[in-house]
Amino acid sequence: MNKKIKQGAVKSFIGDFVRKKTKAEQLQSEPSLKLFIVELLIFASLVLGYFFLVLIFLANWLKTLFDASKPLYALVALALIVTQGVVLEVISAVVLKVVETKLE
Amino acid sequence: MDFLISGQHVNPIYLMILGFVVGVFGGFFGVGGSFIAGPGLFAAGVPMNFVVGTDLAHIVGKSIVATRKHFIRGNVDMKLGLIMFSGTIAGTEVGAQGIEYLKKLGQVNMVVGIFFIIVLLSISAFMAWESWLTLKRKKKGAKPRKGRADHSAISNFSARIQRLNLPPMIKLSASGIKQISLWVVIAVAFVGGVFAGFLGGGAGYIRMPSLVYIIGVPTHVAVGTDLFEIIISASYGTLTHAIKGNVDILIALVMHTGAAVGAQIGVTLTQYFGGPRIRMAFVPLPLIGAALIVYGLVTGTQLK
């Protein structure tokens, strides 16, 4: 039962993530300034943590790949930036949902 | 921090702040921000060929973030974006080949730098003139053309372009355009692609004004659609420049962390401003970019 509730919540989150919203829905779903600032601060902290725990350690591996095969490096480079873009966006949406739930 | 692929030592905090500023601008103006990011990287000592390729890579991730936010607000004309795809890809490859040619001649920094300055100054001047005229007319009580939800002092130009009978003609309902020649759309996309491949970034500083002034797309839709188009042109540009050895992806990833935060602020701000005011606020930005390039070219020193 809990698993079904969680799956439903995830589906609803994904739907909200990509669905076009009407003007009324946009106005309703826009976070208040306080929520937006809290979400932004938490998100910025997570991003900084990601930089110090992950990005710093990629330099040597990327250089090795760059020297070994440019086409493969090109694909990996595009995949990395797209993945980072999507993941950071999902994390910001999740943080906003959690902040909304806790503060309202 | 050492970035081994481009062989540069750059402060990562500088890159994150640069990315943050670019993210705010990207979310607000619907442009990739390469008129600031490119010059900012060049001023930090990154060679121009890496500036071009790396900037393209960085804005892919950032544009996905901002495009989604505009998409759910109904600001993305997907049909227009997909039609522009072929012109964008072709133009980007032409631009990238230009960079390779200049690399062989050893002239990439100077030529691209000067070209960048000319483009940025021209765009700034034109948008200042148009936005000022539009705001002046609005104050006098001029109404926008029927069916358009935006003011523009030169909306007659896009109306004439839309009347050009060069089949096939297409309809762009999301942008409120009853008909326009497919060739006009592809030509705009091709020119944008050339700028993207040659100067880096998504060339939103060319594409966004072109969407508004040539095709006649309302500014808010132009912002979102331009961001969608940037994903396509920048993705292709990243691949082709990375294969040519012009992308330091770690620089792009670090910049993007700042941009991801900035884009959220930029997109939220668009709901508080109308079209002409957004365009007027855009005017100083290319000038800042031009100043950074002049600084890099003239002094040869780096901002660290």
Side-chain angles (χ1 to χ4, degrees):
Chain A
M1 186 68 175
N2 273 340
K3 196 178 172 184
K4 274 194 180 166
I5 293 171
K6 278 183 188 171
Q7 278 175 352
V10 169
K11 270 188 192 165
S12 157
F13 173 77
I14 293 170
D16 267 349
F17 196 68
V18 297
R19 186 177 55 87
K20 257 191 216 178
K21 295 189 167 92
T22 61
K23 281 276 182 209
E25 283 172 324
Q26 282 177 42
L27 283 169
Q28 200 184 17
S29 66
E30 285 296 337
S32 63
L33 185 62
K34 178 184 162 190
L35 279 180
F36 180 66
I37 290 171
V38 170
E39 181 264 329
L40 209 57
L41 286 171
I42 295 173
F43 180 63
S45 310
L46 289 172
V47 163
L48 267 177
Y50 161 68
F51 167 73
F52 284 108
L53 295 174
V54 179
L55 288 185
I56 274 180
F57 300 106
L58 286 182
N60 289 320
W61 176 70
L62 287 170
K63 174 66 174 157
T64 307
L65 188 61
F66 178 81
D67 291 335
S69 168
K70 297 276 190 311
L72 183 60
Y73 169 77
L75 288 170
V76 168
L78 186 62
L80 277 173
I81 197 72
V82 168
T83 304
Q84 183 172 287
V86 171
V87 167
L88 289 182
E89 179 63 3
V90 168
I91 288 174
S92 79
V94 167
V95 168
L96 186 62
K97 269 270 184 232
V98 168
V99 166
E100 266 176 357
T101 314
K102 297 285 180 200
L103 294 187
E104 280 184 352
Chain B
M1 182 172 162
D2 287 316
F3 293 91
L4 302 174
I5 292 169
S6 55
Q8 300 300 312
H9 182 84
V10 186
N11 189 331
I13 304 297
Y14 170 83
L15 290 176
M16 278 193 232
I17 293 173
L18 182 64
F20 174 80
V21 169
V22 168
V24 171
F25 292 156
F28 186 67
F29 298 110
V31 295
S34 60
F35 49 83
I36 294 288
L41 285 174
F42 184 62
V46 179
M48 199 47 101
N49 56 304
F50 275 103
V51 166
V52 172
T54 304
D55 190 29
L56 278 164
H58 136 258
I59 67 165
V60 171
K62 186 167 60 67
S63 299
I64 290 173
V65 171
T67 300
R68 185 194 77 86
K69 288 190 182 294
H70 279 284
F71 177 77
I72 62 176
R73 284 169 169 79
N75 288 344
V76 178
D77 187 334
M78 299 283 285
K79 182 179 174 183
L80 175 59
L82 290 168
I83 289 171
M84 289 174 79
F85 175 82
S86 53
T88 299
I89 297 296
T92 305
E93 184 58 32
V94 167
Q97 291 296 340
I99 289 290
E100 289 307 290
Y101 178 69
L102 288 172
K103 263 167 71 179
K104 285 184 188 133
L105 296 178
Q107 293 295 324
V108 70
N109 277 1
M110 185 58 71
V111 172
V112 176
I114 290 172
F115 195 70
F116 220 141
I117 290 166
I118 294 170
V119 166
L120 292 175
L121 290 177
S122 306
I123 289 165
S124 206
F126 174 75
M127 290 195 83
W129 168 75
E130 188 278 334
S131 306
W132 172 75
L133 263 183
T134 305
L135 285 169
K136 201 168 119 179
R137 285 189 187 184
K138 225 178 146 184
K139 275 187 190 160
K140 286 185 183 169
K143 291 191 174 115
R145 284 173 50 236
K146 238 182 175 179
R148 295 265 322 263
D150 204 1
H151 281 88
S152 171
I154 58 168
S155 55
N156 285 335
F157 182 74
S158 60
R160 269 186 262 148
I161 294 287
Q162 286 170 22
R163 284 195 292 265
L164 272 177
N165 192 11
L166 284 170
M169 306 298 281
I170 55 172
K171 183 179 174 181
L172 299 168
S173 312
S175 302
I177 294 169
K178 287 191 182 136
Q179 70 163 27
I180 190 164
S181 170
L182 176 70
W183 301 113
V184 169
V185 174
I186 289 178
V188 164
F190 180 80
V191 170
V194 169
F195 276 85
F198 191 69
L199 294 179
Y205 48 82
I206 285 287
R207 192 181 300 105
M208 213 265 281
S210 300
L211 286 172
V212 173
Y213 300 127
I214 297 175
I215 296 179
V217 177
T219 303
H220 286 87
V221 177
V223 168
T225 308
D226 176 56
L227 280 164
F228 174 64
E229 196 59 24
I230 283 171
I231 295 173
I232 298 170
S233 64
S235 295
Y236 180 77
T238 298
L239 285 172
T240 189
H241 273 293
I243 289 171
K244 294 168 174 68
N246 296 331
V247 175
D248 190 328
I249 192 62
L250 192 54
I251 291 179
L253 289 169
V254 174
M255 274 179 70
H256 176 250
T257 55
V261 178
Q264 296 195 42
I265 298 171
V267 169
T268 304
L269 286 175
T270 59
Q271 62 189 306
Y272 300 112
F273 294 90
R277 291 196 189 280
I278 291 177
R279 300 197 293 274
M280 185 57 102
F282 179 85
V283 166
L285 305 179
L287 297 177
I288 297 170
L292 285 169
I293 293 184
V294 168
Y295 176 85
L297 284 175
V298 169
T299 64
T301 55
Q302 300 163 12
L303 296 170
K304 288 229 182 189

